[in-house]
Amino acid sequence: MEIKRSCSEASRKGPAEWFTGTVRIDPLFQAPEPARVSGGHVTFEPGARTAWHTHPLGQTLIITSGLGWVQREGGPIEEVRPGDIVWFPANEKHWHGASAATAMTHIAIQESLNGKNVDWLEKVSDEQYRR
């Protein structure tokens, strides 16, 4: 058994190459091998969002506060609220973030495949975001 104490890792800013706007990432856990799951608590300020990306084994988002938007490639932008759970299947191109006027926080859970849990792609343009 291992207990990881709250706030045992420092918050960090979401890197500009992967995010638009102000994003704070609070790492939650990285399970030791042979497990491959990790999780983070991510807060997006209004208008902030990820770049388009995929996950080799999928991703689960648990919306904990605010109002957010999620979109998979070719689909409409969907509104998400606290208590909503979003599943993106393996290799599905998608993005997620806050709505234009309201911050959003979620817990993101994903697994690694061969040491990699995300493939970052191009940024979501302002035009794509405002649709």
Side-chain angles (χ1 to χ4, degrees):
M1 179 172 83
E2 178 183 332
I3 298 173
K4 184 173 180 190
R5 300 294 177 196
S6 177
C7 302
S8 62
E9 288 190 50
S11 298
R12 60 183 189 249
K13 185 176 179 179
E17 59 266 35
W18 303 334
F19 297 94
T20 298
T22 302
V23 178
R24 186 183 77 236
I25 301 169
D26 293 293
L28 292 176
F29 63 91
Q30 173 70 55
E33 290 186 7
R36 53 189 181 185
V37 66
S38 64
H41 191 253
V42 186
T43 300
F44 298 83
E45 291 301 318
R49 58 206 181 257
T50 67
W52 288 99
H53 61 286
T54 64
H55 299 275
L57 296 174
Q59 182 182 49
T60 300
L61 303 179
I62 303 167
I63 312 306
T64 59
S65 67
L67 177 64
W69 292 340
V70 299
Q71 184 180 26
R72 64 181 177 170
E73 184 176 43
I77 293 174
E78 302 279 351
E79 193 173 274
V80 290
R81 298 177 177 275
D84 290 348
I85 298 172
V86 181
W87 164 247
F88 296 106
N91 299 310
E92 181 171 73
K93 186 176 177 181
H94 68 279
W95 67 268
H96 37 97
S99 69
T102 304
M104 185 270 290
T105 301
H106 64 52
I107 295 171
I109 302 168
Q110 53 280 318
E111 292 183 273
S112 293
L113 181 62
N114 301 319
K116 191 171 193 180
N117 67 14
V118 63
D119 286 302
W120 291 105
L121 305 167
E122 72 277 8
K123 286 198 170 188
V124 174
S125 70
D126 289 344
E127 182 180 292
Q128 290 171 319
Y129 177 76
R130 291 197 173 100
R131 274 199 269 158

